[in-house]
Amino acid sequence: MKIVVFNGKGGVGKSTIAANLAVISASPLLDADPQATCCYWADRRGSNSPEVVDVSLGRVAIRLKALERAIVDLPGASVPGVHDALSVADVVLVPVVYDQATLDALPATLELARNAHRPTTMLLNRLHPRAHADGIVTSLAPLNVPICLTPVRERASHRDWWSQGLVAADFPDTDAGGDILQIWQWLQTQNYA
Ligand SMILES: Nc1ncnc2c1ncn2[C@@H]1O[C@H](COP(=O)(O)OP(=O)(O)O)[C@@H](O)[C@H]1O
Ligand SMILES: [Mg+2]
């Protein structure tokens, strides 16, 4: 499966989710963000699994087309190259933090995804561990974009592991890792590829 993780807003968890999905699915991770967040993470990881490829935004669509499966981390901006990358995705995954600034920017992100004519799904990130996702899912329904019913919860462990070159998916038996495992299992049921 080729999953392109995108939101025109920064700080919503694109890199965190992309790296987690690359680990849980044992897929190559294409880092097309000039900030190279996943490349720095891979440097700390000290392992070739997953393979993390430093790729320019201008070339990522071509690289992705040639692969059977991959996870792509894009920059948090609507810049040239994003459209082409979205256009070759099996699914565009849009992390959404439920705060006003992210919600204000969301229609622009979803418009870019719509223009790519690829299946798109939102994924709630940083949801409070005890918050109910149902109400939020309902409030996002008018956007008319599918949403994964399993959210990624706010957990400090995501930040701690990241600084060590690890991710929650390296620990699927933990609460944080369990979120990722469930999301990956759900994605596989969606017949995107
Ligand atoms: N579910 C989460 N729980 C706690 N911290 C998170 C979570 N998701 C992301 N973060 C933290 O939020 C910050 C931004 O995440 P990042 O993945 O870099 O976002 P983006 O790639 O969209 O800019 C990072 O410090 C990251 O560790
Ligand atoms: Mg990032």
Side-chain angles (χ1 to χ4, degrees):
M1 199 187 310
K2 303 179 199 188
I3 304 174
V4 176
V5 183
F6 178 67
N7 187 320
K9 183 115 181 49
V12 295
K14 292 179 295 296
S15 301
T16 303
I17 288 166
N20 268 286
L21 290 176
V23 167
I24 206 87
S25 67
S27 303
L29 174 54
L30 307 188
D31 185 353
D33 183 352
Q35 290 183 352
T37 306
C38 290
C39 291
Y40 285 114
W41 169 80
D43 290 347
R44 287 192 296 276
R45 189 167 174 83
S47 138
N48 292 330
S49 172
E51 182 190 1
V52 180
V53 188
D54 189 355
V55 55
S56 75
L57 197 47
R59 298 261 314 154
V60 67
I62 294 166
R63 293 293 289 267
L64 185 57
K65 233 185 228 172
L67 294 171
E68 275 288 301
R69 60 203 173 104
I71 314 295
V72 178
D73 186 27
L74 290 180
S78 317
V79 288
V82 164
H83 171 81
D84 290 350
L86 299 181
S87 301
V88 291
D90 291 326
V91 57
V92 176
L93 189 60
V94 180
V96 174
V97 177
Y98 197 72
D99 66 21
Q100 197 56 50
T102 306
L103 296 178
D104 288 344
L106 195 51
T109 289
L110 296 178
E111 179 66 15
L112 280 169
R114 208 166 287 123
N115 289 339
H117 302 290
R118 304 305 303 147
T120 298
T121 190
M122 298 186 289
L123 173 62
L124 286 173
N125 185 27
R126 305 195 71 159
L127 196 66
H128 187 279
R130 289 186 301 278
H132 289 291
D134 317 22
I136 295 175
V137 166
T138 305
S139 76
L140 294 174
L143 293 169
N144 248 325
V145 174
I147 183 163
C148 177
L149 296 179
T150 303
V152 181
R153 302 278 172 178
E154 166 75 33
R155 298 191 205 276
S157 51
H158 283 291
R159 286 188 294 277
D160 296 342
W161 282 324
W162 189 267
S163 61
Q164 300 170 57
L166 297 166
V167 281
D170 288 307
F171 308 96
D173 292 341
T174 60
D175 288 339
D179 288 348
I180 303 298
L181 185 57
Q182 265 195 56
I183 289 159
W184 171 235
Q185 287 168 343
W186 178 81
L187 285 166
Q188 287 174 293
T189 65
Q190 299 300 298
N191 297 321
Y192 294 126

